[in-house]
Amino acid sequence: MTATAPDGARSFRWRRRSVLPGFGLSMGYTIAYLSLIVLIPLAGLGIRSASLGWDQFWKIAFDQRVVSALQLSFGAALIAAIINTVFGVLVAWVLVRYRFPGRRWLDAAVDLPFALPTAVAGIALATLYAPNGPFGMILDDWFGIKVGFTSTGVVMALIFVGLPFVVRTVQPVLEEIDRETEEVAATLGARRWRTVTRVIFPALFPAILTGFALSFARGVGEYGSVIFIASNLPYQSEIAPLLIIIKLEEHNYAGATAIATIMLVISFAMLFVINLLQAWSRKWFGHE
Amino acid sequence: MVLIAVSLGFLGLMLIAPLLVVFVEAFSRGLGVYFDALALPDTMAALQLTLLVAVIAVPANLVFGVAAAWLIAKFDFKGKAFLLTLIDLPFAVSPVVSGLIFVLLFGANSALGPVLDSYGIKVLFAVPGIVIATIFITFPFIARELIPLMQQQGSSEEEAAVSLGASGWRTFFQVTLPNVKWGLLYGVLLCNARAMGEFGAVSVVSGHIRGVTNTLPLHIEILYNDNKAAAAFAVASLLAMLALVTLAVKTLLEARFAGEIAAQRRH
Amino acid sequence: MRLKLVALAASLALAACGGQTNAGGEISLLNVSYDPTRELYEEFNADFSANYKTPEGKTVKVNMSHGGSGKQTRSVIDGLDADVVTLALQNDIDLIAKETGKIPADWRTKLPANSAPYTSTIVFLVRAGNPKNIKDWNDLTLPGVGVITPNPKTSGGARWNYLAAWAYASKQFVGDEAKIKEFVGALYKNVLKLDSGARGSTVTFTQQGTGDVLITWENEGFLTLDEQGADKYQIVYPSLSIRAEPPVAVVVGNAEKKGPEQVAVAEAYLKHLYEPAGQRIVAKHYYRPNDPSAADPADIARLQPVEMVTIDDPLFGGWAQAQPKHFDDGGLYDQIFTAR
């Protein structure tokens, strides 16, 4: 943050004084709307699962099938988020630092997974990677890799839905970093790699972290695109959201609520840590 | 060069190929089938419902997004990271869980459902439920787009305006809004695209009544399962085109106003 | 904020018109059904609407909702405003009756033949020429055979599939439960994809070219031959199958709220399924009508005779016993999937 007063000694006041009006209104509206749309409904979920009692809750949570579904959801989302982070930073770098024909359109294409309905993405991916699909056949014949209807397929779908997050969080920051800073570093004799690790990376770090977290969080919960490309077999490629749907359709609200709560708590904790880390790294690296 | 090639390859494989599949399959049985699928009364009804949902959900989240961004970017207060996390929360909640919470809240076995029902108000398996679930899913989009932008711009301009005697609203409309309009527009476009494309959550609360509570994405699934793959992809291509138009508008605006946008970023 | 007010007004207006209103001379009826009946009810509804008028002369428009039988059951219990349910299993309607009280507990006695206007059975669909030479249930357990069947947790048809396999194994192993479990477990080890409904499995098997054999409804098998080409697939009848009895019922509690007229229409709608015209349409869509004499003999001739057990066989003891024993959380179906 640039314009507000620099971070000084910690104030005991709840908020720092500002000359700008609208704190009450914007705070009130934000909290009210947030409560109405997000918090109260989610609290309903909490209350339902609290009424389960610990015994029952743990029994559901540590059921083997639930554990393996959660493992798959979080594991596949992690792998997808890592792949997306690597390629996302690369894509952002290329989009910002190089000029080539079609760059602008490529830039626009990155948002496609945001805009394309997940069900459409799922059907399209399943068509591509099914054993008789163009990619599925090539991968299977040449490399013996089966994608459609396996957990690899799950990762594939999650890469698709999570891709824009990293690119879109890293790109603006990368644009911000003055070339000057780099040039200064270079003229001062820093080698290119050193420039990257010492100057660019620290500045990018918070953005990469956010992108990674969002991509991961999105992947954990993804349903629409995955069910088309996964085999949905228990212990193999049954994701946690599917298990929630199954429990729901078995009329097992307790089970559905418990799994939903576990996912929610983990995701929330993760987002919170990331947001804290970000605030910390902003201070630490002194960027933004 | 290698970097460009790798990026292009990755994006081509992961993004462009699925998009191509949609269009290839859509036209695989000829133009006749394509337009027949779009002209079906159920498709039309689904399109109308989808538009209606977006028309309500997007403005609701727009107002919230602006208020939340103003709060977070212009003021310092305790618990900000926590509040930010809460705003991000719908990103992290599985769409299926989002649907589930509204079933728990408004279902026939909930506390609220029967009360509303006795007044003749239907939420679940009717349009209001679909609207609420969509608002939930698209909740953070505009706020998330605006917050970093406004944080980066800081509040020196607004402070100057206020100290010169401008009212709060005037400062907002004449200083802040022009400064963030491109970010705002981008947020609205994305929010809109997501609102029209949501599947998981809406699928749980919709009831799938043909021609009544089917949105376009649900209708696509139905057509796909009706052994009408070409028709399903035809409707899907409609949504894909919407996505493309969204992105094209954004790109063109950026190209046209590149200088202005860059200037904003540098504030 | 003007926008906020507009949004608020719009959502209020929506909430207000959310309740169902019957426009002028038309009554709308909502039929909540299971997955593979889409084509059947498309034709049947048209026939009913063309031939039925209420005593006041109003016409009827039938709205449809299709999905896995379990999913549809849940929706009705959670408040989906169905006037009639036409589901895959007696157990699903029992559940609605028990959970909501909107259907009388003795609903099976309200219409002939235990409220099942038609029956069907479970068959195999294989690729043309039957390359894996699949003839009976035991071929489905062989290594290297890819099986497609929906998820019994969410699909009614899938439960019939599972029970048919169980019945076959029970006959093979003379009721030795350990061996039956092993057999059914081997079969499900060959499953490549569990879709949530019967139609999803058909799409996986045909459009995505996955698997060697699809276990499915007889009607769904024939429909696939019609739609995808009889030269691409063929139907194999196993030596033993199960008689599936998809039942129907009026959701009295929902219909009553809209007035006595609505109940009368819903009842007439279901009765029409039993009338000769209804039975004829049922047979045309490859279901087995209760009254074959009403159907086109050519339609009946397409369906092969096959030995069938019923759910009321002592082996299963009716849905009241079979459902908890096999399909509830931790039941036999869950047990055959062990962590790998």
Side-chain angles (χ1 to χ4, degrees):
Chain A
M1 257 164 288
T2 49
T4 40
D7 278 49
R10 275 185 193 261
S11 134
F12 282 99
R13 264 167 308 186
W14 181 54
R15 71 176 177 108
R16 206 182 303 280
R17 294 190 69 80
S18 164
V19 294
L20 291 182
F23 178 79
L25 177 68
S26 59
M27 177 62 107
Y29 187 76
T30 301
I31 298 289
Y33 189 78
L34 186 72
S35 306
L36 204 67
I37 300 290
V38 179
L39 299 183
I40 295 176
L42 283 177
L45 183 73
I47 292 168
R48 272 282 178 124
S49 80
S51 69
L52 276 178
W54 280 111
D55 281 359
Q56 217 187 335
F57 188 84
W58 287 122
K59 219 180 117 202
I60 295 166
F62 287 103
D63 177 60
Q64 271 238 298
R65 189 158 160 202
V66 175
V67 169
S68 67
L70 286 170
Q71 270 172 353
L72 175 65
S73 272
F74 282 91
L78 186 70
I79 296 172
I82 291 170
I83 294 174
N84 273 336
T85 305
V86 172
F87 282 96
V89 172
L90 184 71
V91 168
W93 179 267
V94 167
L95 286 177
V96 172
R97 287 303 162 89
Y98 299 100
R99 292 292 171 268
F100 53 93
R103 184 190 67 94
R104 207 181 282 288
W105 293 105
L106 200 64
D107 191 4
V110 169
D111 280 332
L112 195 66
F114 275 156
L116 198 68
T118 50
V120 175
I123 294 174
L125 287 172
T127 308
L128 273 178
Y129 290 103
N132 67 348
F135 288 5
M137 236 160 14
I138 292 173
L139 284 171
D140 194 10
D141 289 356
W142 296 3
F143 307 104
I145 305 170
K146 291 200 191 328
V147 177
F149 313 125
T150 62
S151 45
T152 319
V154 178
V155 175
M156 227 50 166
L158 298 186
I159 293 177
F160 181 85
V161 297
L163 176 71
F165 286 103
V166 179
V167 182
R168 283 300 175 243
T169 46
V170 169
Q171 199 178 10
V173 182
L174 205 52
E175 272 167 4
E176 262 324 280
I177 300 175
D178 281 330
R179 262 172 188 270
E180 278 172 47
T181 324
E182 264 177 78
E183 277 158 17
V184 169
T187 43
L188 289 177
R191 255 171 271 130
R192 183 154 177 78
W193 182 242
R194 212 175 147 79
T195 317
V196 170
T197 52
R198 291 295 172 84
V199 180
I200 300 176
F201 183 73
L204 279 186
F205 186 69
I208 294 178
L209 207 60
T210 312
F212 172 82
L214 289 177
S215 160
F216 179 75
R218 179 83 164 80
V220 169
E222 178 56 17
Y223 172 74
S225 59
V226 176
I227 49 160
F228 287 100
I229 198 174
S231 71
N232 307 328
L233 287 172
Y235 305 106
Q236 277 182 24
S237 62
E238 186 177 60
I239 52 168
L242 175 65
L243 204 52
I244 294 178
I245 290 272
I246 289 178
K247 299 267 178 209
L248 205 60
E249 282 167 18
E250 281 176 345
H251 241 263
N252 181 355
Y253 282 88
T257 319
I259 303 171
T261 309
I262 298 167
M263 290 182 69
L264 199 64
V265 169
I266 300 177
S267 300
F268 178 79
M270 221 187 56
L271 276 182
F272 187 54
V273 168
I274 299 276
N275 274 338
L276 282 180
L277 261 181
Q278 231 198 338
W280 168 82
S281 73
R282 252 195 202 133
K283 220 179 273 173
W284 191 254
F285 294 117
H287 183 73
E288 281 193 308
Chain B
M1 259 302 130
V2 178
L3 289 183
I4 297 180
V6 171
S7 314
L8 280 177
F10 179 72
L11 290 181
L13 216 59
M14 289 311 303
L15 295 180
I16 312 298
L19 187 68
L20 281 180
V21 166
V22 172
F23 284 98
V24 168
E25 295 278 334
F27 292 104
S28 64
R29 300 229 178 145
L31 279 175
V33 172
Y34 183 83
F35 286 109
D36 282 352
L38 297 189
L40 282 175
D42 283 356
T43 307
M44 282 296 139
L47 180 64
Q48 279 169 10
L49 178 61
T50 297
L51 291 176
L52 175 71
V53 168
V55 161
I56 299 170
V58 175
N61 283 337
L62 173 67
V63 174
F64 164 74
V66 171
W70 179 265
L71 175 70
I72 285 175
K74 306 295 180 195
F75 302 102
D76 261 340
F77 54 92
K78 293 252 160 75
K80 204 190 228 180
F82 188 68
L83 186 65
L84 256 178
T85 309
L86 288 182
I87 291 174
D88 281 345
L89 203 53
F91 270 147
V93 176
S94 169
V96 168
V97 177
S98 325
L100 170 67
I101 58 179
F102 291 108
V103 169
L104 293 180
L105 201 64
F106 295 112
N109 295 318
S110 68
L112 261 179
V115 178
L116 290 174
D117 197 41
S118 66
Y119 289 101
I121 301 171
K122 286 225 157 293
V123 177
L124 210 57
F125 309 119
V127 177
I130 299 173
V131 171
I132 294 174
T134 307
I135 292 181
F136 182 93
I137 291 288
T138 55
F139 184 82
F141 272 88
I142 296 173
R144 255 305 174 187
E145 191 62 36
L146 284 183
I147 290 169
L149 187 63
M150 282 168 69
Q151 275 183 336
Q152 215 169 43
Q153 291 178 352
S155 30
S156 48
E157 285 187 35
E158 283 86 354
E159 279 163 11
V162 168
S163 59
L164 289 174
S167 75
W169 288 118
R170 187 154 172 218
T171 309
F172 172 75
F173 280 111
Q174 298 201 338
V175 179
T176 310
L177 206 54
N179 271 343
V180 298
K181 63 184 174 213
W182 301 118
L184 193 68
L185 184 71
Y186 181 46
V188 166
L189 287 174
L190 276 187
C191 179
N192 181 52
R194 188 85 166 85
M196 291 188 173
E198 177 49 25
F199 174 77
V202 172
S203 152
V204 177
V205 298
S206 135
H208 304 268
I209 308 169
R210 289 184 176 212
V212 184
T213 62
N214 262 336
T215 61
L216 276 183
L218 299 181
H219 187 58
I220 292 169
E221 193 207 15
I222 286 191
L223 286 174
Y224 191 64
N225 282 341
D226 271 356
N227 278 325
K228 292 175 190 147
F233 278 108
V235 180
S237 75
L238 203 65
L239 281 172
M241 270 189 276
L242 177 87
L244 290 178
V245 168
T246 304
L247 302 179
V249 167
K250 178 196 153 235
T251 307
L252 288 176
L253 284 174
E254 273 177 1
R256 179 117 188 246
F257 298 98
E260 201 179 324
I261 294 170
Q264 272 184 28
R265 284 224 171 100
R266 234 167 266 131
H267 265 280
Chain C
M1 298 244 78
R2 211 172 305 146
L3 271 176
K4 180 180 135 197
L5 285 177
V6 172
L8 201 70
S11 52
L12 281 178
L14 264 177
C17 63
Q20 204 161 0
T21 44
N22 296 331
E26 196 177 71
I27 284 191
S28 63
L29 189 79
L30 176 57
N31 177 1
V32 172
S33 191
Y34 61 111
D35 226 9
T37 56
R38 296 154 193 260
E39 292 76 11
L40 164 66
Y41 282 111
E42 205 176 304
E43 183 171 353
F44 178 79
N45 291 347
D47 183 72
F48 179 73
S49 296
N51 293 311
Y52 181 84
K53 278 199 170 66
T54 67
E56 291 81 38
K58 290 184 191 169
T59 55
V60 178
K61 178 181 189 300
V62 186
N63 287 322
M64 290 306 302
S65 168
H66 291 280
S69 199
K71 179 194 177 86
Q72 299 294 71
T73 304
R74 175 195 67 82
S75 297
V76 175
I77 292 174
D78 278 329
L80 181 60
D81 209 7
D83 297 299
V84 300
V85 284
T86 53
L87 295 173
L89 305 173
Q90 177 207 330
N91 188 66
D92 286 334
I93 300 187
D94 278 340
L95 203 61
I96 298 173
K98 195 178 111 210
E99 295 277 330
T100 66
K102 286 176 178 170
I103 298 175
D106 61 345
W107 61 271
R108 285 186 89 192
T109 63
K110 303 282 177 191
L111 286 163
N114 290 329
S115 288
Y118 58 83
T119 62
S120 187
T121 191
I122 300 302
V123 300
F124 304 151
L125 193 68
V126 297
R127 300 191 187 281
N130 197 356
K132 295 269 168 126
N133 198 23
I134 289 157
K135 294 213 170 72
D136 210 347
W137 290 100
N138 53 344
D139 297 320
L140 270 50
T141 62
L142 299 176
V145 173
V147 177
I148 303 292
T149 177
N151 191 339
K153 296 284 191 173
T154 54
S155 156
R159 270 177 246 180
W160 291 115
N161 294 354
Y162 165 94
L163 290 175
W166 188 275
Y168 172 86
S170 173
K171 196 173 162 196
Q172 287 300 308
F173 304 114
V174 213
D176 181 341
E177 192 161 299
K179 284 198 174 142
I180 302 172
K181 261 170 86 171
E182 200 181 314
F183 179 90
V184 179
L187 194 159
Y188 274 84
K189 235 179 214 123
N190 279 343
V191 172
L192 299 174
K193 181 172 185 201
L194 290 172
D195 285 284
S196 63
R199 188 52 66 78
S201 285
T202 309
V203 171
T204 301
F205 184 71
T206 57
Q207 317 247 356
Q208 292 168 5
T210 304
D212 303 305
V213 54
L214 170 74
I215 314 177
T216 191
W217 296 97
E218 184 181 42
N219 50 286
E220 181 75 0
F222 276 103
L223 185 71
T224 310
L225 295 189
D226 277 358
E227 302 233 336
Q228 309 281 332
D231 52 331
K232 289 193 201 146
Y233 307 99
Q234 64 192 67
I235 286 173
V236 173
Y237 280 88
S239 66
L240 178 73
S241 192
I242 193 161
R243 188 165 80 200
E245 298 168 315
V248 300
V250 175
V251 188
V252 184
N254 284 342
E256 257 174 5
K257 257 194 280 177
K258 299 171 200 161
E261 194 182 29
Q262 190 82 13
V263 181
V265 171
E267 278 168 357
Y269 177 74
L270 293 186
K271 275 211 187 84
H272 190 59
L273 276 169
Y274 288 87
E275 287 161 2
Q279 292 284 298
R280 202 180 161 82
I281 295 173
V282 158
K284 193 176 155 198
H285 290 272
Y286 308 103
Y287 297 88
R288 297 178 175 228
N290 293 351
D291 176 15
S293 65
D296 186 340
D299 287 345
I300 301 291
R302 299 176 300 190
L303 310 174
Q304 280 181 32
V306 56
E307 189 190 340
M308 292 186 269
V309 298
T310 67
I311 188 69
D312 295 317
D313 190 280
L315 172 63
F316 300 122
W319 276 109
Q321 270 187 43
Q323 172 70 27
K325 183 177 168 200
H326 289 274
F327 303 115
D328 276 5
D329 232 4
L332 284 168
Y333 172 75
D334 280 344
Q335 290 168 31
I336 64 168
F337 281 100
T338 43
R340 283 171 240 202

